[in-house]
């Protein structure tokens, strides 16, 4: 074993975490000319992008794209490789982008390779060398031993804000009474008969979450919305916890309490959908023992839900379990305290910001214990701007946040945590770090000319303007 060896790697930009945010950050940094290293604790880049869920917050609830740039390039690569379904309306609250998570693995690997990102898998960030609020080196452990990653600028896309915390940043954790949004295991079922499922929605619309916002409902009745779903022709339906079919099953112990069974397509060829429904609330996912201990319960819920779908939901009679996410899904842990915190009112009032570096549009979406869930739509089905300063941890000069650990109050976090805004933040963070790094003089991210950054992002396809 070589575990006691220490090696040093140098880069212009080091990105910690290869989820939606980190991948976009690394690609943006590399495209901007920075020598970029992307580090992840896991065996495969992708994070939650590989779990089967669709990307929310890439379009607003009016169906207009609010995500451009690197995120869209990733979708185009999925399309080139034959795994892109595209934007769908859930006829409830949002539009989302569906794709095959197996093809997404290929797309990510192809793009990282194409742009020359140095990938370091199986590498866990455990410490940092920090001097006066500046990170000198990120310390990771892997089979080669200890590696010190030296770089003038770092992107913290770890989801949990690990690097920012090691650098001394303060943070908020979960809800004010110690509660946490549930952990969930996404899973997939193949062999789904979509026409039968959509015919069932037509016959019993009361079982489904439909037209929850005015922007989506547009004055339609449930029956008319069911008709729109039929026209769309995709298995994108949400069975609600307080509808008859699911609430009866919960009351009879045939299902566990849950707010929704969210069904979204992943592959037309395999007639496959992803189901988002399992849940164990109020676990602090930063406690690895606690996190690991819920796996058995989530697996049991998958078995229960698979049986429920086969026994009660037309279109699923001959469907079968075909895969589950490579890891337990974590909705919330730390929110790093930044120079500015995105607020609930910023989100709900669709506020624009002259220093915005990307957009979000997802409703305030806070899953709770059992069948509880808060869902509050953004005014008019529009979008809000994510302020540049919400990516800057207070008191740390050379780390920029991207993704789930961004600075936000808990309600705003319930919106900005979804993958569309994570990708936009990633592109902004990677571009900003590269802009300073390639000038070669070190520097403080807090002093960066944000209007210059915005011009660069626009040139690279990011959507920052318009009335969206
Ligand atoms: C069950 C569930 C359902 C969801 N549904 C949707 C949905 O339908 N649509 C949607 O858009 N969003 C959804 N979300 C939210 C969204 O998936 C996440 O908030 C988002 O993907 C976070 O992206 P990220 O890049 O910040 O983090 P992640 O995707 O979590 O990536 C972080 C990466 O950092 C790595 N990492 C962490 N710590 C370290 C360390 N110390 N050292 C090295 N590497 C580290 C991890 O291995 C991981 O790969 C859901 C979330 C969950 C959990």
């Amino acid at each position: 074993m070589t575990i006691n060896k220490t090696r040093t790697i140098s880069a212009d930009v080091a990105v910690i975490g290869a989820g939606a945010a980190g991948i976009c950050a690394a690609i943006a940094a590399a495209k901007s000319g920075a020598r970029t290293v992307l580090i992840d604790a896991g065996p495969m880049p992708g994070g939650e992008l590989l779990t089967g869920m669709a990307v929310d917050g890439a379009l607003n609830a009016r169906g207009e794209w609010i995500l451009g740039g690197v995120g869209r390039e990733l979708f185009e690569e999925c399309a080139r490789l034959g795994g892109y379904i595209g934007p769908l309306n859930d006829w409830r609250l949002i539009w989302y982008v569906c794709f095959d998570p197996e093809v997404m693995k290929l797309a990510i690997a192809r793009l990282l390779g194409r742009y020359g990102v140095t990938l370091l898998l199986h590498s866990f960030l455990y410490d940092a060398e920090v001097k006066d609020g500046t990170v000198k080196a990120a310390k990771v452990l892997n089979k080669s031993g200890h590696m010190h990653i030296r770089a003038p600028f770092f992107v913290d896309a770890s989801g949990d804000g690990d690097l920012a915390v090691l650098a001394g940043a303060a943070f908020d954790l979960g809800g004010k009474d110690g509660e946490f949004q549930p952990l969930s295991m996404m899973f997939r079922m193949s062999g789904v008969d979509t026409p039968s499922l959509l015919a069932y929605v037509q016959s019993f619309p009361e079982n489904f979450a439909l037209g929850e916002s005015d922007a989506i409902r547009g004055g339609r009745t449930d029956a008319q919305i069911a008709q729109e779903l039929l026209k769309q022709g995709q298995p994108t339906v949400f069975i609600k916890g307080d509808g008859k079919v699911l609430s009866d099953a919960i009351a009879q112990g045939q299902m566990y309490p849950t707010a929704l069974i969210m069904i979204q397509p992943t592959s037309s060829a395999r007639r496959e959908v992803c189901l988002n429904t399992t849940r164990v609330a109020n676990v602090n996912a930063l406690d690895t023992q606690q996190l690991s201990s819920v796996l058995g319960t989530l697996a049991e819920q998958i078995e229960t839900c698979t049986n429920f779908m086969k026994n009660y939901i037309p279109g699923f009679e001959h469907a079968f379990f075909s895969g589950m996410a490579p890891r337990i899904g974590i909705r919330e842990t730390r929110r790093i305290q930044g120079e500015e915190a995105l607020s609930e009112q910023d989100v709900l009032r669709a506020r624009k910001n002259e220093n915005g570096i990307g957009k979000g549009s997802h409703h305030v979406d806070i899953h709770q214990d059992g069948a509880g869930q808060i869902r509050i739509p953004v005014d008019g089905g529009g979008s809000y701007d994510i302020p540049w300063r919400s990516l800057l941890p207070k008191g740390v000069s050379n780390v920029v946040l991207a993704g789930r650990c961004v600075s936000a109050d808990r309600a705003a976090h319930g919106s900005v945590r979804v993958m569309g805004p994570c990708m936009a933040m990633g592109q902004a963070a990677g571009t900003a770090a590269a802009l300073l790094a390639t000038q070669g003089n070190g520097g403080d991210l807090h002093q960066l000319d944000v209007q210059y950054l915005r011009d660069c992002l626009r040139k690279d396809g990011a959507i920052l303007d318009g009335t969206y």
Side-chain angles (χ1 to χ4, degrees):
M1 288 291 280
T2 52
I3 214 86
N4 290 325
K5 281 195 182 159
T6 299
R7 293 189 200 175
T8 299
I9 292 183
S10 296
D12 296 326
V13 174
V15 180
I16 310 294
I23 286 162
C24 290
I27 291 173
K31 284 174 81 170
S32 306
R35 285 176 308 135
T36 305
V37 59
L38 175 61
I39 296 146
D40 201 281
M44 181 76 70
E48 292 294 323
L49 267 175
L50 307 184
T51 60
M53 64 180 74
V55 169
D56 295 341
L59 299 96
N60 64 20
R62 300 195 291 254
E64 300 159 327
W65 281 99
I66 58 163
L67 174 73
V70 179
R72 293 285 285 281
E73 205 176 333
L74 207 49
F75 295 147
E76 280 158 21
E77 192 64 10
C78 281
R80 191 183 73 76
L81 294 162
Y84 184 65
I85 296 171
L88 295 178
N89 188 344
D90 74 355
W91 287 102
R92 175 191 63 123
L93 280 168
I94 49 174
W95 283 75
Y96 44 62
V97 181
C98 296
F99 53 88
D100 182 341
E102 296 303 322
V103 173
M104 180 56 86
K105 289 178 188 163
L106 288 177
I108 291 167
R110 298 288 282 128
L111 283 194
L112 292 176
R114 191 170 304 157
Y115 292 114
V117 173
T118 301
L119 187 60
L120 208 50
L121 296 171
H122 302 285
S123 299
F124 189 83
L125 170 84
Y126 70 93
D127 197 6
E129 182 186 324
V130 183
K131 190 155 185 273
D132 302 329
T134 300
V135 174
K136 301 290 180 190
K139 300 184 182 180
V140 306
L141 186 64
N142 57 33
K143 281 215 184 192
S144 313
H146 298 265
M147 282 191 175
H148 293 185
I149 321 291
R150 297 201 167 270
F153 296 98
F154 295 83
V155 177
D156 185 343
S158 65
D160 301 322
D162 288 359
L163 182 62
V165 170
L166 288 168
F171 59 87
D172 298 298
L173 185 62
K176 65 177 175 6
D177 298 320
E179 71 275 29
F180 290 95
Q181 291 200 52
L183 302 169
S184 296
M185 183 63 89
M186 310 291 289
F187 69 99
R188 289 176 277 154
M189 291 181 76
S190 287
V192 176
D193 179 6
T194 301
S196 301
L197 174 64
L198 295 179
Y200 177 56
V201 182
Q202 299 267 296
S203 305
F204 298 97
E206 64 276 14
N207 283 325
F208 295 88
L210 302 171
E212 289 188 358
S213 77
D214 294 341
I216 293 282
R217 180 172 281 281
R220 294 172 187 82
T221 62
D222 282 1
Q224 287 168 326
I225 292 180
Q227 190 63 30
E228 297 291 349
L229 276 172
L230 191 67
K231 267 196 259 165
Q232 189 169 244
Q234 287 283 355
T236 166
V237 295
F238 289 50
I239 304 172
K240 56 183 180 184
D242 54 2
K244 184 163 170 36
V245 68
L246 184 50
S247 62
D248 281 358
I250 294 170
Q252 290 158 15
Q254 291 173 323
M255 263 295 283
Y256 47 88
T258 187
L260 291 167
I261 301 175
M262 298 176 243
I263 302 166
Q264 301 168 316
T266 46
S267 164
S268 307
R270 298 193 296 272
R271 295 195 295 145
E272 188 187 74
V273 296
C274 177
L275 292 94
N276 177 357
T277 170
T278 62
R279 48 182 48 216
V280 178
N282 300 327
V283 174
N284 180 355
L286 297 176
D287 180 326
T288 306
Q289 261 184 303
Q290 273 194 51
L291 172 69
S292 310
S293 71
V294 305
L295 182 64
T297 305
L298 292 172
E300 193 181 323
Q301 291 182 359
I302 289 176
E303 188 182 337
T304 303
C305 185
T306 303
N307 290 334
F308 167 76
M309 297 301 290
K310 288 169 72 71
N311 292 333
Y312 292 99
I313 305 299
F316 281 79
E317 300 89 335
H318 305 296
F320 52 93
F321 170 80
S322 56
M324 72 178 192
R327 60 185 203 165
I328 298 169
I330 300 168
R331 289 189 172 85
E332 75 173 334
T333 53
R334 303 185 187 108
R335 304 184 302 280
I336 300 296
Q337 292 179 8
E339 293 292 348
E340 184 173 345
L342 184 74
S343 74
E344 178 174 19
Q345 290 306 308
D346 293 339
V347 168
L348 294 180
R349 304 286 86 84
R351 277 190 190 142
K352 307 300 183 275
N353 185 310
E354 61 185 12
N355 296 326
I357 49 72
K359 286 176 173 288
S361 63
H362 196 70
H363 47 287
V364 168
D365 183 359
I366 304 179
H367 296 246
Q368 295 163 315
D369 202 1
Q373 187 182 4
I374 296 167
R375 303 194 286 266
I376 315 173
V378 173
D379 279 354
S383 69
Y384 56 88
D385 290 343
I386 304 165
W388 162 238
R389 283 154 45 88
S390 66
L391 273 55
L392 297 176
K394 260 191 212 157
V396 183
S397 70
N398 66 338
V399 175
V400 52
L401 307 167
R404 183 163 62 76
C405 53
V406 66
S407 181
D409 67 29
R410 187 166 188 243
H413 181 263
S415 165
V416 77
R417 69 187 174 85
V418 298
M419 292 190 285
C422 287
M423 290 172 156
M425 286 186 264
Q427 178 169 354
T431 304
L435 282 176
L436 288 184
T438 51
Q439 285 169 6
N441 311 320
D444 185 340
L445 280 158
H446 300 235
Q447 305 302 324
L448 180 70
D449 176 354
V450 61
Q451 296 310 322
Y452 178 57
L453 170 63
R454 279 159 53 89
D455 285 345
C456 294
L457 291 171
R458 285 189 192 97
K459 244 190 283 142
D460 293 339
I463 296 177
L464 304 184
D465 306 303
T467 56
Y468 307 98

